[in-house]
Amino acid sequence: MSADLAVLAGQPVIVGAGLAGLATALFLAPQPVVLLTKAPLGGEASSPWAQGGMAASMGDDDSPALHHEDTLAAGDGLCDAAAVRRIVEAAPGAIARLAALGVEFDRHESGFRLGLEAAHSRNRIVHADGDGTGREIIRALVEAVRRTPSITALEHVEARRLLLDGEGRVAGILIAGPDGAAVLPTTRVVLATGGIGGLYEETTNPLACFGQGLALAARVGAVIADPEFVQFHPTAFATAARPMKLISEAVRGEGALLIDEDGRRFLAAEPGAELAPRDVVARAVWRELAAGHSVFLDARARPGAGFSTRFPAIARFCSEAGLDPARDPIPIRPAAHYHMGGIAVDAAGRSSVEGLWAAGEVASTGLHGANRLASNSLTEAAVAAAAVAESLKAVPARPFRPTPLAEVPAAADPSSVRPVLSRHAGVLRDGEGLASAVAALLPRALGNSAAADPALVGLMIAVAAFERRESRGAHSRTDYPERASAALRTRITASAALAAARDIAETVFPSARSA
């Protein structure tokens, strides 16, 4: 590592360089901060891949109250209403702050160009460069970080473990890079590591997004909220490429339809049809595929000839696959896309562990509930980054002495976890399959191999899904198809998940008692 770690000791450390991490670092300026990223700045994060935009009540016919109402409806009873209100009210200001940092949002003569996406009652999606919103945001923020002297970016460096002091407070972070491993002393860490799509075989996320932040937090006892709620985007481009390309929900917002091989609109009778909430659409597509049908997104009539202008990135990768969306239906299927669960945080982004904050997809603020409303994720990341930065400014560094770590954990490899979660914790689930996932993941999570951290995250997902005996939002149990009368959020720790996993494995599979 080229940086002098002794000089950086005691500075806040942000892990992750997507929208949440970059924005937090920028909002902290001029306070010194260290930014860790496994790849070059802007690489291997999910944010640059975001085609959808940022949801905010910017139109004359819109209001935070309407945005709040739509978010609660999509969240299927599990949203934190206060968190929703706080974030949707801050959304327009967050977009203004990003614009001030150089993000070039799409505009027309009267202001921002506002698009429509599923389950929104108003046009309120602010885009940048058409379907290149995430890419444009990250471009601008990376440029801003590069010219901000208070930010030290350590690229090609990853966090392997958080270190605590004798009182259970953050006191350091074990990092590893091309030059080896080292301890960076700090009492303030922000996790902004993104989601968990890399734990699934079919995902729209970078494969490196396997829940690293969840594992880091869970290993030091942090409370994890709602890990069972994984959103599967219904319209991933059905090719052999992994990760899968995303066909933005905005395409359906422009009028594209979902059809089978005979041209039948199988969602025509569903309330909202193609613009029903994502969990509804994903299950409908999954059932069609399970019944032996092929499923396509038909954009030939709308947006039709204007497709390549409105969605240049999608048109480009369709063309590379030999398809013209203005003339050819686009083959699609659901894929793991977004994690509604995450590290439980308060309004300031603080976790249950002193000295540890989280922002972006790795955090659970209560905004998304059981099913994220389209384009609320980038909005949440920007709003949360500002809140975390303000919180960090108010917490001075303190004396610290980290508890030493016996050995450096291996770099994580989620490849053995992907088939387990993909088979048993996908769009549709049942108790027997989830118990099988628990039994398969438990010994790996207890070990010290490269699969240990991904397996621990997968185990928390499977245990929480097994114990949630209802269907709600993105969590759909075929053996418990009804929604429970009480909407209860999950709160779980690694130790609790491991204990529950042992009970599940021993009860359902008695031969697993040796695990």
Side-chain angles (χ1 to χ4, degrees):
M1 280 159 256
S2 58
D4 184 348
L5 297 187
V7 173
L8 303 178
Q11 293 185 18
V13 176
I14 300 170
V15 185
L19 167 54
L22 294 170
T24 301
L26 288 165
F27 295 156
L28 270 171
Q31 179 174 328
V33 63
V34 180
L35 183 65
L36 301 184
T37 171
K38 291 191 292 185
L41 279 180
E44 284 197 8
S46 294
S47 297
W49 297 22
Q51 296 170 353
M54 297 181 67
S57 53
M58 312 280 281
D60 293 338
D61 64 342
D62 203 1
S63 68
L66 289 173
H67 190 180
H68 180 270
E69 182 179 321
D70 291 345
T71 300
L72 292 181
D76 204 7
L78 217 63
C79 296
D80 180 326
V84 175
R85 184 173 298 106
R86 182 180 68 253
I87 292 169
V88 300
E89 289 178 350
I95 289 173
R97 293 187 76 169
L98 293 183
L101 287 168
V103 178
E104 296 181 2
F105 291 107
D106 296 341
R107 302 171 186 263
H108 48 57
E109 59 278 1
S110 58
F112 289 106
R113 186 184 191 279
L114 301 177
L116 178 68
E117 292 185 3
H120 287 273
S121 61
R122 297 290 188 274
N123 285 50
R124 65 167 66 100
I125 314 304
V126 179
H127 290 269
D129 192 25
D131 57 359
T133 304
R135 182 177 61 248
E136 166 58 17
I137 290 173
I138 297 304
R139 177 206 64 77
L141 297 190
V142 167
E143 288 183 6
V145 164
R146 295 281 192 205
R147 62 175 183 263
T148 303
S150 60
I151 302 173
T152 301
L154 299 184
E155 300 173 89
H156 304 289
V157 173
E158 66 174 338
R160 294 282 176 84
R161 284 289 184 270
L162 296 175
L163 304 177
L164 305 181
D165 62 17
E167 298 180 45
R169 303 173 300 182
V170 169
I173 185 166
L174 177 66
I175 60 177
D179 302 328
V183 172
L184 178 55
T186 179
T187 60
R188 295 163 293 174
V189 171
V190 181
L191 296 177
T193 52
I196 53 88
L199 294 178
Y200 286 83
E201 293 175 322
E202 295 179 338
T203 180
T204 62
N205 295 175
L207 297 182
C209 291
F210 65 85
Q212 175 201 24
L214 290 182
L216 288 170
R219 294 285 183 193
V220 294
V223 174
I224 307 299
D226 304 327
E228 66 269 38
F229 290 102
V230 181
Q231 185 172 77
F232 296 85
H233 200 291
T235 56
F237 191 28
T239 68
R242 296 294 182 273
M244 302 175 76
K245 300 290 188 181
L246 177 67
I247 310 295
S248 171
E249 202 154 84
V251 178
R252 282 175 281 141
E254 295 285 332
L257 305 175
L258 286 168
I259 61 173
D260 68 6
E261 68 277 6
D262 297 321
R264 175 178 61 92
R265 278 186 69 197
F266 55 88
L267 274 165
E270 181 69 40
E274 279 79 9
L275 293 180
R278 282 183 178 173
D279 61 312
V280 174
V281 180
R283 284 192 293 272
V285 172
W286 187 265
R287 290 185 178 110
E288 292 295 314
L289 294 171
H293 294 287
S294 298
V295 180
F296 302 88
L297 187 63
D298 185 1
R300 291 174 293 182
R302 296 177 61 190
F307 191 102
S308 60
T309 301
R310 178 70 180 85
F311 304 106
I314 299 173
R316 190 178 309 116
F317 64 68
C318 284
S319 177
E320 292 169 354
L323 293 173
D324 178 359
R327 295 185 301 176
D328 305 309
I330 306 168
I332 58 94
R333 64 179 298 114
H337 181 62
Y338 190 86
H339 194 207
M340 277 77 72
I343 302 165
V345 296
D346 65 11
R350 293 178 295 231
S351 77
S352 61
V353 174
E354 185 176 344
L356 180 64
W357 288 256
E361 189 172 351
V362 72
S364 177
T365 63
L367 172 67
H368 305 303
N371 184 45
R372 175 175 69 92
L373 181 65
S375 288
N376 266 356
S377 54
L378 294 180
T379 299
E380 178 193 44
V383 172
V388 168
E390 288 305 307
S391 179
L392 278 168
K393 289 176 182 178
V395 178
R398 53 176 166 74
F400 51 85
R401 178 174 294 178
T403 301
L405 194 68
E407 60 181 298
V408 179
D413 179 2
S415 58
S416 67
V417 176
R418 289 180 186 131
V420 177
L421 285 189
S422 299
R423 180 178 180 184
H424 298 304
V427 176
L428 298 178
R429 305 159 173 187
D430 62 61
E432 182 178 355
L434 291 167
S436 296
V438 168
L441 295 171
L442 178 58
R444 299 171 202 182
L446 290 171
N448 57 5
S449 73
D453 280 356
L456 177 62
V457 177
L459 187 73
M460 289 190 289
I461 292 170
V463 166
F466 180 88
E467 294 186 339
R468 183 173 288 279
R469 293 174 173 84
E470 64 164 344
S471 289
R472 184 183 296 274
H475 170 72
S476 183
R477 289 276 298 258
T478 57
D479 50 348
Y480 290 96
E482 301 301 319
R483 189 175 71 165
S485 57
L488 301 176
R489 297 189 66 192
T490 297
R491 293 288 190 276
I492 195 168
T493 61
S495 59
L498 290 168
R502 291 187 181 94
D503 290 342
I504 293 167
E506 291 178 4
T507 301
V508 181
F509 303 104
S511 61
R513 287 194 177 95
S514 59

